[in-house]
Amino acid sequence: MSQINELDIHSDAGISPLSSVGMSQQNLHKKTAQIRFSLDLANNNLSKYLTLRHVQDQNERLFYHYIRENIRDSLPYIYTPSVGDACQNYSYLNFSPRGLYLTYRDGQSVAEQVQAIDQEIDIIVVTDGSRVLGLGDLGIGGMGISIGKLSLYTAVGGIPPERTLPVCIDVGTNNPSLKSDDQYLGDKQDRVNDEAFYRYLDEVMTALAERWPNAIIQFEDFSNNHAYPLLKKYQHQYRCFNDDIQGTATVAVASIKRALLKAKKAPSDARIFVVGGGSAGCGIADLIQRSFGFDNGAVYIVDRDGVLFDDDTLSDMQVPLARPAGERKSARAPLPLLDAVEHIKPDVIVGVTGVTGLFNEQVIRTMASHTEMPVIMPLSNPVSACEVTPQQVFDWIGDNAIVMTGSPFAPVEFAGRSHIISQCNNVYVFPGIGLGAHVVNASTITDTMLQKAMDALANFECSRNSDYEVLPAIESTLDISKAIAHAVAIQAMEEGVTNEQDLCLETLSLRIEQAFWNPNLETFHA
């Protein structure tokens, strides 16, 4: 039996009780000032993460009020990059238990554990901690991801916190550091084999769906060899989607479209490199193919050995995305990244590799020499795994480029101008996807629903943007979530994957507004 179960925290959904005594505006200002003061005193990202987690444990309404009022400043501390530090040190951190831990080797019935939870749940985020951000296998530390994602579901997606459930599936770990760490609270045995893994996931999905048949289930941070098969297996069986594959694709493709239009280039004519042939990269490339209607452009997946061609050894998810072998520079010869940039001359390069510094000076300079206003998107998280930093790009080729990142970066000063770097954060899309599917009780989340989410973000107009921002200002995410929810819900009705097919647009908008949870601190006391 793993230590996590001995601590008996596997069924605590972590919802703090709240008093019904009113809070005055004066007290509210004092409380928020105290939070800011505590954050200013914290001397690193992990300390700031813990500060906000403790506020969340003490008074969730105050926590969410603060996050909504300070979304730009607080987002890096409740999610990336700080959540990566928290996941790495999870067994050492001191905060209230939160979430459902399911341990394969403890012999307990998943159904019995799930049925024992008396809360009604709308959104579930589940991980096995096997590939946390770009940090690898962190075991039960992956729970930090599930908690963080659900915090954002409430903060910008309006899902009531008591109707969310973070889940971590503990099937062992292959991380030598965790195995040798006396403090680690999870199962220290090797991860179970594929046969046992898929059998246990069947048990978990069945139990969750039977207990909460209308809940949306979001997969997070499963390893590449499991993420895609799980999505294909369950996509039309349950109300589920994979944020690493589909959420990342949605925000990345919307960002590419906005960036190309900003650069005065037609998306249908663009040549796009997606560097990284795993689940995230294939998800991005697939959505680009389905969305851009290429005339003269194309999307290329570039993996460890170079551009993927259809005569290479490919995974199932790579097969439909590989380029024709006839496009090789020479027969059977690989086309590595630098040579591919020189030969194909991409307008856009997207990095989802987790390989620090992969987009080196030669790659960036070569790209810039062949295309006006290149779009450069190092999306790997955390910052330590970033393929290139915005500052490096500006140092090498100046500011005649559009740079967007996966991790948050400070504005870059160049030639007397301040360039705000848009962060391609999944927070722009997954809360709205979940909200939209929830309000019309969609029976599945289809590829077309996700495509409509992408279109909603790509076309969202934001008056707050600076000249250099590509994505809407992060302060607009509540409005973006509602816009995406609207688009997703309409598409669900049009496809007939919901019984709510007769809702008029006015009624749908009203339903989204009514479903959108607000802290209402005036009626609650800290």
Side-chain angles (χ1 to χ4, degrees), residues 204-274:
V204 170
M205 293 298 290
T206 299
L208 294 175
E210 287 182 352
R211 175 64 185 86
W212 299 291
N214 297 326
I216 307 298
I217 300 174
Q218 179 172 310
F219 294 112
E220 282 289 337
D221 287 359
F222 284 82
S223 58
N224 281 330
N225 61 313
H226 289 153
Y228 185 76
L230 286 174
L231 177 60
K232 289 303 174 186
K233 182 175 185 178
Y234 296 132
Q235 184 174 14
H236 302 298
Q237 186 178 355
Y238 300 107
R239 295 169 165 86
C240 67
F241 70 103
N242 184 301
D243 187 49
D244 302 304
I245 301 174
Q246 297 167 298
T248 298
T250 302
V251 70
V253 177
S255 300
I256 292 168
K257 188 173 182 180
R258 293 177 72 100
L260 286 170
L261 295 175
K262 194 175 187 70
K264 297 180 172 54
K265 297 180 181 181
S268 62
D269 292 332
R271 293 177 298 278
I272 302 169
F273 275 17
V274 179

Side-chain angles (χ1 to χ4, degrees), residues 274 276-278 282 299-315 317-319 321-325 327-328 335:
V274 179
C282 287
V299 60
Y300 301 78
I301 292 184
V302 186
D303 212 355
R304 182 178 290 105
D305 297 323
V307 175
L308 294 185
F309 294 101
D310 58 14
D311 60 349
D312 290 325
T313 301
L314 304 169
S315 68
M317 62 183 175
Q318 293 171 340
V319 169
L321 303 168
R323 301 301 302 170
E327 294 183 4
R328 286 184 183 275
L335 192 58

Side-chain angles (χ1 to χ4, degrees), residues 25-268:
Q25 282 296 315
Q26 183 179 10
N27 284 338
L28 178 57
H29 290 316
K30 287 181 179 179
K31 291 293 183 182
T32 54
Q34 289 169 355
I35 295 171
R36 290 193 189 94
F37 180 76
S38 297
L39 288 171
D40 289 342
L41 285 181
N43 58 10
N44 56 47
N45 283 348
L46 183 55
S47 296
K48 294 177 190 292
Y49 172 90
L50 287 171
T51 296
L52 288 172
R53 273 295 305 271
H54 287 310
V55 175
Q56 186 179 19
D57 291 340
Q58 293 166 4
N59 188 317
E60 286 203 305
R61 291 181 181 270
L62 177 61
F63 171 79
Y64 286 113
H65 170 82
Y66 182 84
I67 298 304
R68 287 188 182 178
E69 293 296 313
N70 301 273
I71 185 69
R72 183 178 291 272
D73 293 335
S74 56
L75 189 59
Y77 307 127
I78 60 173
Y79 203 64
T80 56
S82 305
V83 73
D85 297 332
C87 291
Q88 288 179 300
N89 296 282
Y90 209 73
S91 295
Y92 288 83
L93 303 183
N94 177 28
F95 38 59
S96 298
R98 184 177 288 264
L100 172 66
Y101 294 82
L102 298 170
T103 304
Y104 173 79
R105 291 189 175 97
D106 68 2
Q108 295 186 68
S109 162
V110 175
E112 289 179 2
Q113 293 178 75
V114 169
Q115 289 295 331
I117 301 175
D118 61 3
Q119 291 173 261
E120 291 307 311
I121 299 298
D122 296 328
I123 304 287
I124 300 167
V125 174
V126 58
T127 185
D128 71 343
S130 56
R131 189 187 59 83
V132 176
L133 304 175
L135 301 170
D137 180 355
L138 298 184
I140 59 99
M143 178 58 90
I145 296 295
S146 294
I147 292 170
K149 289 285 186 178
L150 287 169
S151 296
L152 297 174
Y153 257 115
T154 298
V156 304
I159 304 297
E162 69 274 12
R163 298 186 71 90
T164 68
L165 181 66
V167 176
C168 184
I169 300 169
D170 188 2
V171 291
T173 181
N174 295 333
N175 185 332
S177 298
L178 297 181
K179 289 175 179 293
S180 62
D181 187 348
D182 291 338
Q183 185 74 13
Y184 179 60
L185 297 174
D187 182 353
K188 295 183 181 181
Q189 298 183 65
D190 287 346
R191 287 184 174 270
V192 299
N193 61 35
D194 280 356
E195 181 182 357
F197 175 83
Y198 286 115
R199 186 172 61 248
Y200 192 58
L201 262 292
D202 278 342
E203 184 181 351
V204 170
M205 293 298 290
T206 299
L208 294 175
E210 287 182 352
R211 175 64 185 86
W212 299 291
N214 297 326
I216 307 298
I217 300 174
Q218 179 172 310
F219 294 112
E220 282 289 337
D221 287 359
F222 284 82
S223 58
N224 281 330
N225 61 313
H226 289 153
Y228 185 76
L230 286 174
L231 177 60
K232 289 303 174 186
K233 182 175 185 178
Y234 296 132
Q235 184 174 14
H236 302 298
Q237 186 178 355
Y238 300 107
R239 295 169 165 86
C240 67
F241 70 103
N242 184 301
D243 187 49
D244 302 304
I245 301 174
Q246 297 167 298
T248 298
T250 302
V251 70
V253 177
S255 300
I256 292 168
K257 188 173 182 180
R258 293 177 72 100
L260 286 170
L261 295 175
K262 194 175 187 70
K264 297 180 172 54
K265 297 180 181 181
S268 62

